[in-house]
Amino acid sequence: MRPENRPAALAIGLLRPHAPALFAAAILAGVVAACRGALVWLVRDVLDALLQAGDSAWRVALPAAVVGLFAVQGAARVGRTLLTRRAALQAEASLRTRLFGALLTLPPPDLQRLGRGEAMSRLVHDCAKVRTAVGAAVTALQRPLSAVAVMASA
């Protein structure tokens, strides 16, 4: 099997131009995880300390901090989704163009043997798998980060 025909090598080649956006998405996934850990710490440790101390000045600041963390977490999640979606859609379009170009260069007997349904399936479904894989990879990165952040705050 030629190196460019291996799925992992092909996916990496398609995503390489989008590495800065995917790196930024990974950083945003870390921000989401850090916000989760900070929320656990704020609600568990800081709230307990404030209630025991009876400090009324923090009764306004603590809810504002919680709302602020949720806002940052939401913005980071939206940013991560937009970055990964754009990179995935552009990689999918690039793969679709490559597949279509490869189909156009096939001799008619090979096209007939391949079949129209198979060719369309490759154009649609194989390309969609790239889009799905990009989102799944960033989600797979965020889950352990979130677990580490929550465990660190515990």
Side-chain angles (χ1 to χ4, degrees), residues 46-62:
V46 175
L47 184 61
D48 283 349
L50 291 176
L51 289 175
Q52 289 174 0
D55 190 0
S56 63
W58 284 97
R59 291 182 189 206
V60 173
L62 184 64

Side-chain angles (χ1 to χ4, degrees), residues 64-82:
V66 169
V67 169
L69 279 172
F70 274 115
V72 169
Q73 181 179 355
R77 205 176 263 166
V78 168
R80 183 202 71 197
T81 300
L82 289 175

Side-chain angles (χ1 to χ4, degrees), residues 31-121:
V31 169
V32 170
C35 285
R36 286 182 179 171
L39 284 165
V40 169
W41 174 74
L42 268 178
V43 170
R44 192 196 64 219
D45 295 340
V46 175
L47 184 61
D48 283 349
L50 291 176
L51 289 175
Q52 289 174 0
D55 190 0
S56 63
W58 284 97
R59 291 182 189 206
V60 173
L62 184 64
V66 169
V67 169
L69 279 172
F70 274 115
V72 169
Q73 181 179 355
R77 205 176 263 166
V78 168
R80 183 202 71 197
T81 300
L82 289 175
L83 288 170
T84 56
R85 177 83 37 95
R86 186 179 63 187
L89 288 173
Q90 289 174 349
E92 179 183 7
S94 176
L95 179 60
R96 188 172 286 133
T97 302
R98 287 177 65 177
L99 282 174
F100 188 70
L103 287 173
L104 286 177
T105 61
L106 287 176
D110 290 345
L111 278 173
Q112 191 171 16
R113 188 174 48 248
L114 180 63
R116 282 179 261 166
E118 177 68 21
M120 285 303 294
S121 174

